[in-house]
Amino acid sequence: MENGPVPRSRAGAVRHVLLAAVFLACSSQLLVDANSWWSLGLNPIQRPEMYIIGAQPLCSQLSGLSQSQRKLCQLYQDHMTYIGDGAKTGIKECQYQFRQRRWNCSTVDNTSVFGRVMHIGSRETAFTYAISAAGVVNAISRACREGELSTCGCSRAVRPRELPRDWLWGGCGDNVHYGYRFAREFVDAREREKNYPRGSREHSRTLMNLHNNEAGRQAVYNLAGVSCKCHGVSGSCSLKTCWLQLADFRRVGEFLKEKYDSAAAMRVGRKGKLELIDKRFNNPTPEDMVYIDPSPDYCLRNETTGSLGTQGRLCNKTSEGMDGCELMCCGRGYDQFKTYKHERCHCKFHWCCYVKCKRCTTLVDQFVCK
Ligand SMILES: *[C@@H]1O[C@H](CO)[C@@H](O)[C@H](O)[C@H]1NC(C)=O
Ligand SMILES: *[C@@H]1O[C@H](CO)[C@@H](O)[C@H](O)[C@H]1NC(C)=O
Ligand SMILES: *[C@@H]1O[C@H](CO)[C@@H](O)[C@H](O)[C@H]1NC(C)=O
Ligand SMILES: *[C@@H]1O[C@H](CO)[C@@H](O)[C@H](O)[C@H]1NC(C)=O
């Protein structure tokens, strides 16, 4: 009986189970897509030393990795903490750059991180991909320099031509070359393993993500510069040692924010490639950001789009900008509160050398969107 042909009714049941399985696979596909390696920035990663015996658990326990990222995790376990740090740095910088806007880059939960709004191929989504890729380049490049990773060390960048001849080149620099390459491998892996038909929505979204990941990496790569230290008798600076150094990440954030402001609106063109909607503009370079969907207005809470809305947000009554109550509250109006603000004040310099301040409390007006 067990090995005989399957009776008709059971075949039907099997088909149902199969259909259910396909359905589950599809809906869990959506869930998987919502999860991202960005979650490494929110959930603490155990240091790999703890896993040396029976090495695999680290990678299987981390959530948000795609299949090929999981493989990279197994090869580069010691990198994972830094990828997490990079994601965290990126998210923090995103929140700083967008602190005065309706969409403020807030994280929704530990797995999907930014929630459903990332399903929209908007400028904001573009920025998020770019800044988190940048965070990874930044963290890995620095970790190499600090000797934390087994597969890289100090930068081996060639001496810049314009460096004065008597300055020494060769302090231990940030290995931005390695950071760039590793981030490309790791961050893009998730996009590259997909196999959507050319011209489909999903495929154009993949192209958008890849472009913005690259824009983020290039920002860190191109903003890295030469840093020098003086030597010589009693600070005479007769001798200088120079090396390659990452820019402060705030500068990367500001640079990418400009790229966000000038991001290019794209659509799927012939051959399934992205092309400019408005041909009067220049084609985006690899340093530029691109997007394929218009942004929602982010005014109201909407479960479908994942917009959190601006109800309860602080706004500035006198500002005409995005942080002004008119724009921030989308014309819904605002409530006024009085709150106490604590500040350092009456600071005095004492010889020598410290500053002593008092703590002042003032009553200030605050405005909150309805
Ligand atoms: C998310 O991660 C943070 C930081 O590790 C943790 O404190 C918090 O409990 C987590 N939340 C959930 C819902 O897992
Ligand atoms: C949420 O957004 C969608 C898409 O823009 C829109 O069709 C829908 O009406 C919105 N829902 C609510 C409750 O505002
Ligand atoms: C960002 O926006 C969300 C949703 O409106 C709000 O809960 C959060 O407090 C905001 N964060 C900051 C730093 O303003
Ligand atoms: C509000 O906006 C005005 C004008 O842009 C600015 O001068 C002021 O410092 C802002 N106030 C706060 C509390 O941010």
Side-chain angles (χ1 to χ4, degrees), residues 299-364:
C299 279
L300 297 175
R301 191 177 188 88
N302 186 321
E303 303 292 339
T304 317
T305 60
S307 165
L308 297 175
T310 62
Q311 194 188 1
R313 288 284 301 277
L314 289 174
C315 60
N316 181 334
K317 196 182 167 194
T318 52
S319 167
E320 312 237 300
M322 264 330 285
D323 63 330
C325 293
E326 204 49 46
L327 286 175
M328 178 64 81
C329 311
C330 308
R332 294 187 308 264
Y334 50 86
D335 292 319
Q336 185 167 349
F337 290 96
K338 291 219 180 283
T339 56
Y340 288 103
K341 192 174 167 193
H342 306 286
E343 274 177 323
R344 279 152 55 95
C345 57
H346 304 304
C347 294
K348 279 215 180 84
F349 179 77
H350 289 258
W351 188 263
C352 178
C353 293
Y354 65 96
V355 176
K356 214 173 172 182
C357 297
K358 292 213 164 89
R359 223 166 100 91
C360 295
T361 303
T362 45
L363 199 56
V364 294

Side-chain angles (χ1 to χ4, degrees), residues 1 20 47 55 105 124-125 162 176 218 257 325 327 341 347:
M1 175 71 192
R47 297 268 155 182
C105 205
E124 291 72 35
T125 302
E162 64 277 13
V176 69
Q218 291 226 357
K257 181 71 187 315
C325 293
L327 286 175
K341 192 174 167 193
C347 294

